[in-house]
Amino acid sequence: MSMQKKKVAFICVHNSCRSQIAEALGKHLAGDKYDFYSAGTETKPRINQDAVRIMKQLYGIDMEETQYSKTFDKIPMPDIAVSMGCNVTCPYIGREFDVDLGLEDPTGCSDEAFVSVIKRIEEYIMKLKQ
């Protein structure tokens, strides 16, 4: 009998940058162990283009092919809910968050800022995998 994979959801307000990166990296690095989702309380018409570009450079992942910005009610209730770090108001998702990664939104910042956020997310996923 196959074990049901745990669902991990990465949540931030716009679901266009950090949570999208986390969903893509999760699937890429630990998709065999978990089902990964990302969502926000609001959506953006497209995923952050710097995030898309840098994820292609670093991992060869095209987030625009596999993902889109969506709200929390469009994904299954997760077993592990991860807040990306919302500074003031974290969206209420019907329960407490299990983890707050406390990551600053790199939107509008340098590539280095994006890479640093991506590496922190990767560390978290590698811990989950153990």
Side-chain angles (χ1 to χ4, degrees):
M1 207 171 91
S2 70
M3 286 284 293
Q4 186 72 35
K5 287 198 277 187
K6 281 197 167 168
K7 297 176 184 68
V8 181
F10 296 103
I11 311 298
C12 60
V13 177
H14 291 119
N15 189 217
S16 67
C17 188
R18 290 163 297 176
S19 52
Q20 290 284 357
I21 290 168
E23 178 184 351
L25 271 184
K27 288 174 176 168
H28 184 68
L29 299 168
D32 54 333
K33 286 203 168 171
Y34 297 92
D35 285 326
F36 290 94
Y37 302 89
S38 70
T41 42
E42 302 164 27
T43 59
K44 287 270 197 215
R46 62 206 293 229
I47 297 175
N48 180 295
Q49 293 300 291
D50 290 316
V52 169
R53 175 176 55 80
I54 293 166
M55 286 293 285
K56 268 186 199 155
Q57 283 170 359
L58 293 178
Y59 302 96
I61 297 170
D62 185 350
M63 295 197 295
E64 289 184 307
E65 255 180 34
T66 52
Q67 289 163 225
Y68 59 95
S69 188
K70 60 208 157 306
T71 50
F72 186 73
D73 56 352
K74 302 285 189 284
I75 65 169
M77 182 54 83
D79 300 297
I80 303 169
V82 182
S83 160
M84 302 313 290
C86 324
N87 301 337
V88 202
T89 52
C90 260
Y92 181 65
I93 58 164
R95 67 183 194 74
E96 296 294 304
F97 284 100
D98 298 289
V99 182
D100 179 358
L101 294 183
L103 297 170
E104 290 291 321
D105 183 358
T107 299
C109 298
S110 66
D111 284 9
E112 289 72 30
F114 275 89
V115 170
S116 143
V117 162
I118 290 168
K119 293 299 173 195
R120 295 257 313 275
I121 293 169
E122 184 177 316
E123 276 166 30
Y124 172 72
I125 291 164
M126 295 317 279
K127 269 195 212 125
L128 262 187
K129 233 184 123 153
Q130 287 164 4

